[in-house]
Amino acid sequence: MKTITVQEAASMIPDGASLMVGGFMGVGTPHRLIDELVRQGRRDLIVIANDNAKPGVGIGKLVDAGRVARTIASHIGLNPETQRQMISGQMAVDLVPQGTLIERIRAGGYGLGGILTPTGVGTVVEEGKRKIEIEGKAYLIETALRADFALVHAFLADYTGNLSYALTARNFNPVIAMAADTVIATADNIVPVGLIAPDHVVTPAAIVDYLVANR
Amino acid sequence: MKTITVQEAASMIPDGASLMVGGFMGVGTPHRLIDELVRQGRRDLIVIANDNAKPGVGIGKLVDAGRVARTIASHIGLNPETQRQMISGQMAVDLVPQGTLIERIRAGGYGLGGILTPTGVGTVVEEGKRKIEIEGKAYLIETALRADFALVHAFLADYTGNLSYALTARNFNPVIAMAADTVIATADNIVPVGLIAPDHVVTPAAIVDYLVANR
Amino acid sequence: MDAQAIIAKRIARELRSGMLVNLGIGIPTLVANYLPEGVNVFFQSENGLIGTGPIPEEGMGHPTLTDAGGSPVTALPGASTFDSATSFGLIRGGHLDLTVLGGLQVDAQGHLANWMIPGKMVPGMGGAMDLVTGAKRVIIAMQHTAKGKPKILEKCTLPLTSARPVDLVVSEMAVIGFPGGRATLLETAPGVSVDQVLAATEARLATPENVVEMPL
Amino acid sequence: MDAQAIIAKRIARELRSGMLVNLGIGIPTLVANYLPEGVNVFFQSENGLIGTGPIPEEGMGHPTLTDAGGSPVTALPGASTFDSATSFGLIRGGHLDLTVLGGLQVDAQGHLANWMIPGKMVPGMGGAMDLVTGAKRVIIAMQHTAKGKPKILEKCTLPLTSARPVDLVVSEMAVIGFPGGRATLLETAPGVSVDQVLAATEARLATPENVVEMPL
């Protein structure tokens, strides 16, 4: 684990990279990293996240600036700009049921090829997917999802990279932290090693590659 | 959620019931419940757990008393009595890789039909199972596992049933708590509602059916 | 009482102590305002909270405690927070006793369409597909008609949310169930006749002898 | 130095700072005793701990902090605990940099058998199948022969642990790798000749020119 500046962190991410980004309507999103990606002019990004927040907030800022080539999300209803870019063909949008999305990401991070879920059976979601029956019940085979980078935001971090999260700002963060080749974390507070109780660590240090220093 | 005595808790479990039991070599096992099941003479049980501990400890006491008809576990190597009963045909033993076992239980509790895992491909574990290829890699379809009862042990409980666990006594407990029709919990300490921080609750109260009172 | 209040108040009567309940955005959210006295339920926000409390007083919220719409909420004593995988495990795994959701269309078999209008509104399904597929009981809270047109149709014309039928539809005019897989008029709102409900409904409704007045 | 110490000490040289490492029971556990100075690794116990420390001094342990064998351990500053699903997610998901395990047999392609002897020893595979299938690097720590009989065979006769070949076998006689899927003698222990290794090995070993002495 290395502690780096937000500028260094953003500069590691190339144009065209796939990013999993934590947060739910911007709550629990690593805002400083997003802002810096916008500032550095990163483009053609693939953004995997629960939602696109709203214009001017979190992932919404990348969308506003036209930097997202494709998003895989469960909900974009509160971001009219994403909907506009989707309809105009500027951005590709893959809509995935929220529970399926988080399980696909988890599968990617936990070494599973995928999971069997009843969600989406008998709807447009099943198009093009393998279906399987187990004890008379139909399931879709939903395959694992991974990304080049996971951008996570924690409440507490220590200097080895252990992370814990606050309240509903946890959401996708600990799950995406398992599912990317490179994990970059920001945190509200960075504390000396040993101050987060082992039982309260949610993301173990060993899987975090970079921690963004607070000024 | 109801708070009951250990006698009441054990008496709800009929002969022949399937039980998921928390613990890893007895650490994090609800010992009082196991002891009471032995005392009440419960028999023909199906025990799903990581291991069978060792003679005289935790699940080992049920084995010693000949009360286990079948066990689904990942490891029984430290319990010679289980091995003896397996070889004599007194007890059926299904051995499952530990990661597969916990994912099958999780799938049962999380509403998934199963998961795709590379573990066991090309070994005796794949016998009788469906295999599937995703992007050129082979996976076994491992199906969900549920039980009639989950017997869990926590470090802290509150009187609505929220649970948190201590150190390596967490292990299978929070996962099995999701995967049974009836969830019975014991705890080292039972505290008034509101004293476990929301971020430190691991098993939410809403899924715990019975809490065993401490004397 | 306005239409929304009638719907929310009627649905609140379905709540029982100890239930784990997920309320969707819109009319479903209002159900919490009519929780009967002495009934204590666990409200889940799918963004990762059980024990969701009311909107905080001015200056008493925190940016990390929000509902599924991203708005500030409070948490009751005994609340718990968790990641999204756990949240949807609760939803899909049979732990959620009840979800109340809005609807665009419901058909005669109880199938729901509530997540998109092709070519017009594509917000994404969010948690709706998991909720309808996984909750033990699904109640739809919606106005009976939209711009005078029935929303309870013989067959949904919009993409379905799930192959699993809902359990109950509560509108400002009626309560409709699906016993035996067939839309059945169970209750009419005060001052609303069976014929008025039938006229505002495209799906053929079974109308038993004992259609009662909606208790509010 | 006895056989076990040679094996553990040689394997310890494979550790690098920042690695997440899982040590099996038996000889693998001894590897931690030979961690080179200045190298800081994360040791995982698959029962739910990263940051496993040494055996506690008398009276300084706690019954809820144990290793995968159920024996008391300590935890280093920065340790974390988690449930078994997370523990095996770390193992299977490509997060575990190295696992060191014991072996009953390894074959010429690097396949491992280490979890059962049919009709004799059926302890269960525990975490072994997930570890061998999922870890980035798998090193087998075992004595070269058992009761004089080779354990490195042309083909395993015991049930395999995984279809995935191991990366390295370290015995008290030799270090064997599998470049290009073929068992290859890489190092011999001090005082052991290439011929002695070949005589104690059933699998045909490729023996390059540059077989070096095992650094200890």
Side-chain angles (χ1 to χ4, degrees), chain B residues 109-112 162 178 198-199 201 204 207, chain C residues 78-81 85 89-90 92-93 95:
Chain B
Y110 281 61
L112 306 175
N162 284 308
M178 293 283 282
D199 283 340
V201 172
I207 68 165
Chain C
S80 54
T81 50
L90 291 165
R92 253 190 341 257
H95 309 283

Side-chain angles (χ1 to χ4, degrees), chain B residues 12 14 34 62 104 129 149 173 180 215:
Chain B
M12 293 190 314
I34 298 292
L62 285 169
R104 290 182 63 195
K129 287 176 188 149
F149 294 88
N173 280 297
R215 281 142 299 197

Side-chain angles (χ1 to χ4, degrees), chain D residues 137-187:
Chain D
R137 195 150 180 255
V138 180
I139 299 181
I140 302 307
M142 66 177 192
Q143 306 226 17
H144 208 90
T145 56
K147 297 179 188 159
K149 283 189 179 167
K151 298 175 71 176
I152 303 168
L153 308 175
E154 198 51 36
K155 200 93 197 148
C156 290
T157 58
L158 297 173
L160 295 187
T161 304
S162 177
R164 176 250 172 99
V166 304
D167 297 285
L168 212 60
V169 176
V170 178
S171 76
E172 78 286 10
M173 297 185 76
V175 175
I176 291 166
F178 301 88
R182 186 178 173 204
T184 304
L185 181 60
L186 302 177
E187 302 171 11

Side-chain angles (χ1 to χ4, degrees), chain B residues 20 105 109 146 150-152 163 165 172-185 202-204 207-209, chain C residues 95:
Chain B
M20 288 178 176
I105 294 170
R146 289 185 58 89
L151 310 185
V152 311
L163 306 178
Y165 305 90
F172 273 47
N173 280 297
V175 186
I176 65 171
M178 293 283 282
D181 296 342
T182 302
V183 179
I184 307 176
V202 175
T203 297
I207 68 165
V208 177
D209 299 296
Chain C
H95 309 283

Side-chain angles (χ1 to χ4, degrees), chain B residues 1 106 108-112 146 158 160 162 177-180 193-207, chain C residues 18-20 42 49-50 64 75-97:
Chain B
M1 222 280 308
R106 180 181 180 277
Y110 281 61
L112 306 175
R146 289 185 58 89
D158 71 24
T160 61
N162 284 308
M178 293 283 282
V193 175
L195 295 192
I196 310 178
D199 283 340
H200 299 164
V201 172
V202 175
T203 297
I207 68 165
Chain C
M19 275 185 171
L20 179 60
F42 298 101
L49 171 64
I50 289 179
T64 64
L76 303 176
S80 54
T81 50
F82 33 80
D83 67 33
S84 298
T86 302
S87 196
F88 279 83
L90 291 165
I91 289 169
R92 253 190 341 257
H95 309 283
L96 187 67
D97 296 293

